[in-house]
Amino acid sequence: MRLLLIEDDDRIAGPLTEGLGRYGFTVDHARSGAAGLAGTEGSPDLVLLDLGLPDMDGLDVCRSLRARSAVPIIMITARGDEADRIVGLELGADDYLAKPFGVRELVARIRAVTRRTSGTLAFPPPTNPAAPETPGPQPLGALEINRRTRQVHLDKAEIPLTPREFDLLAYLAEDPGTVHSRQQIMDTVWDPHFFGPTKTLDAHVAALRRKLGDAAWITTARGVGFRLTVPGTDGEPAR
């Protein structure tokens, strides 16, 4: 599947092109609205369109594209206002993804848009699709993590977690007591090509501490990252 990425910022376009390539997509890159409009003459399967272009507004690019082509369009932009989303969708965009975002979310949206517009499920698998076998429940003191059912119990009571909170807790629990750097956590739990501030990690750690009822479950290694500990087993205070 061939994509046309219309994005002027190479710091975003480079990692994004590389990340999409891991999922089997071929990405052509245009750095301006005019170049993007010219690039659609090659009949891409889908267009990823940034709104903040140097030569023209991305909304105008969308309007021009839709006037001459039915190619699916996903807007990717830092403009998160409802008005921008509404205008973009009314001009003919098929989806709207606000920055920050991860490549996996973008791939899911590409697949969803393509299913809606063409009815096909023929997508290339990632180049590294193999996943390890999911283990059974993991007991950690009063805590039990079940990766098969994606459930967490504390003192036999289920703790409701969001999907990202579960992924974060399960990752830290893979090697209890080991400090995982912030970058390691972001690359694994979020995405190696996540676009956005790492403060989102702090917010998820804080949420997990609240839900687990004791901040000592997840301790901070200053300047490095976080680790999962069973309260009362190592004597280090939570920070």
Side-chain angles (χ1 to χ4, degrees), residues 49 51 59 73-89 93-99 105-106 109 113 116:
L49 173 62
L51 296 188
L59 293 174
I73 300 171
I74 298 179
M75 291 182 170
I76 53 172
T77 178
R79 300 183 195 174
D81 292 340
E82 182 182 18
D84 286 316
R85 292 196 300 271
I86 292 173
V87 171
L89 294 171
D94 296 276
D95 202 352
Y96 193 111
L97 183 58
K99 300 171 185 176
E105 180 181 2
L106 177 57
R109 289 177 180 265
V113 166
R116 292 198 302 266

Side-chain angles (χ1 to χ4, degrees), residues 28 36-37 45 50 101 110 125 168 198 201 206:
D28 297 324
L37 289 172
D45 297 302
D50 182 33
F101 60 86
I110 290 172
L168 173 58
T198 60
L201 172 57

Side-chain angles (χ1 to χ4, degrees), residues 4-74:
L4 173 61
L5 171 63
I6 307 177
E7 166 65 67
D8 66 308
D9 192 339
D10 287 339
R11 293 171 300 177
I12 293 177
L16 191 54
T17 298
E18 178 187 346
L20 289 169
R22 292 191 296 113
Y23 285 85
F25 296 101
T26 299
V27 182
D28 297 324
H29 178 207
R31 293 178 173 80
S32 67
L37 289 172
T40 58
E41 295 176 2
S43 300
D45 297 302
L46 184 142
V47 173
L48 303 173
L49 173 62
D50 182 33
L51 296 188
L53 299 171
D55 58 338
M56 57 194 301
D57 193 287
L59 293 174
D60 293 328
V61 176
C62 180
R63 183 184 293 108
S64 297
L65 282 176
R66 191 51 73 230
R68 68 189 195 190
S69 172
V71 62
I73 300 171
I74 298 179

Side-chain angles (χ1 to χ4, degrees), residues 171 179-188 190 197-203 205 220-221 223-226:
Y171 174 68
V179 174
H180 300 268
S181 73
R182 299 176 68 89
Q183 192 60 54
Q184 287 174 331
I185 297 171
M186 294 300 296
D187 285 352
T188 303
W190 272 259
T198 60
K199 285 297 182 183
T200 187
L201 172 57
D202 299 274
V205 167
T220 302
V224 182
F226 301 96

